[in-house]
Amino acid sequence: SQKIEQNSEALNIQEGKTATLTCNYTNYSPAYLQWYRQDPGRGPVFLLLIRENEKEKRKERLKVTFDTTLKQSLFHITASQPADSATYLCALDPYNQGGKLIFGQGTELSVKP
Amino acid sequence: DAGVTQSPTHLIKTRGQQVTLRCSPKSGHDTVSWYQQALGQGPQFIFQYYEEEERQRGNFPDRFSGHQFPNYSSELNVNALLLGDSALYLCASSWLPGETQYFGPGTRLLVL
């Protein structure tokens, strides 16, 4: 069956360390993959989009990789801060038909001072 | 520039009732998508509206219906509410289908 999976367990790290979150998918061939941040009780906030022909993309302290052979995306936050604590969601458009996003269940990140 | 807005923020209904949720897209956006997010889960796609037409639909029953108005705002209607419909309902807008989606704060629906 088609699915998209993220680390199910919460990730706890120390301030200043690099957080690495994983997103794996099966039976899709997405043209792009997106990462969102969601704080409790709020809507997801778009962070980054990476296309299938891009291996890596960076934005400030964020870095995303996209391996279409492994069917995996990694999301890194360098020099993490307590303000980075949130749930991070990956999403893809499975049939590249414009906007029907399929989301992973999210990984909760907690950065301790 | 206002982002995506949704109303109401919270709502309590009883089983069997009907509910209407509203969404105003970000300025310049003409595409609206609706998602349902249960506690501890990722959002699930309900449907998408573009040019006042339902363009795509997820695996939701016909009890879930929607509408898009000429000003691009949208409504989500749910009939014959079930306890399992309790969730955060999210609206997202984009300037075209397939472009980056920007989410509103959501409407928290509780069905008793």
Side-chain angles (χ1 to χ4, degrees), chain A residues 32 34 36 38 41-46 49 51 89 93 97-106, chain B residues 33 35 37 40-43 45 48 55-58 88 90 97-98 100-105 108:
Chain A
Y32 58 85
Q34 303 182 50
Y36 287 81
Q38 187 173 27
R42 296 182 176 271
V45 175
F46 171 76
L49 180 152
R51 301 188 185 279
L89 298 157
D93 184 351
Q97 289 179 354
K100 178 181 175 179
L101 291 180
I102 305 298
F103 282 83
Q105 75 273 33
Chain B
S33 301
Y35 293 81
Q37 187 175 24
Q41 301 297 316
F45 178 83
Q48 181 187 73
R55 187 175 172 275
Q56 293 194 79
R57 190 178 181 93
L88 180 68
L90 296 162
T100 299
Q101 296 183 29
Y102 293 85
F103 284 80
R108 173 73 63 187

Side-chain angles (χ1 to χ4, degrees), chain A residues 35-108:
Chain A
W35 284 88
Y36 287 81
R37 169 186 172 140
Q38 187 173 27
D39 292 287
R42 296 182 176 271
V45 175
F46 171 76
L47 296 175
L48 281 168
L49 180 152
I50 186 165
R51 301 188 185 279
E52 59 180 341
N53 61 345
E54 298 174 311
K55 296 299 182 187
E56 179 180 299
K57 198 160 197 178
R58 294 174 184 260
K59 178 183 176 182
E60 298 173 352
R61 295 184 296 109
L62 308 180
K63 184 179 85 170
V64 174
T65 63
F66 192 13
D67 189 325
T68 55
T69 301
L70 290 179
K71 294 187 180 290
Q72 180 182 78
S73 176
L74 298 178
F75 177 81
H76 307 271
I77 305 175
T78 58
S80 59
Q81 305 166 359
D84 295 326
S85 299
T87 295
Y88 291 85
L89 298 157
C90 67
L92 52 83
D93 184 351
Y95 305 112
N96 304 315
Q97 289 179 354
K100 178 181 175 179
L101 291 180
I102 305 298
F103 282 83
Q105 75 273 33
T107 298
E108 185 179 348

Side-chain angles (χ1 to χ4, degrees), chain B residues 25-76:
Chain B
K26 189 175 167 65
S27 177
H29 288 185
D30 60 7
T31 303
V32 173
S33 301
W34 287 92
Y35 293 81
Q36 180 195 66
Q37 187 175 24
L39 207 59
Q41 301 297 316
Q44 286 198 357
F45 178 83
I46 303 175
F47 41 55
Q48 181 187 73
Y49 278 86
Y50 172 65
E51 295 186 334
E52 302 179 53
E53 299 273 340
E54 183 182 291
R55 187 175 172 275
Q56 293 194 79
R57 190 178 181 93
N59 292 328
F60 280 81
D62 292 343
R63 299 187 297 109
F64 289 77
S65 63
H67 188 77
Q68 186 178 35
F69 298 94
N71 67 353
Y72 308 123
S73 67
S74 177
E75 288 183 349
L76 163 65

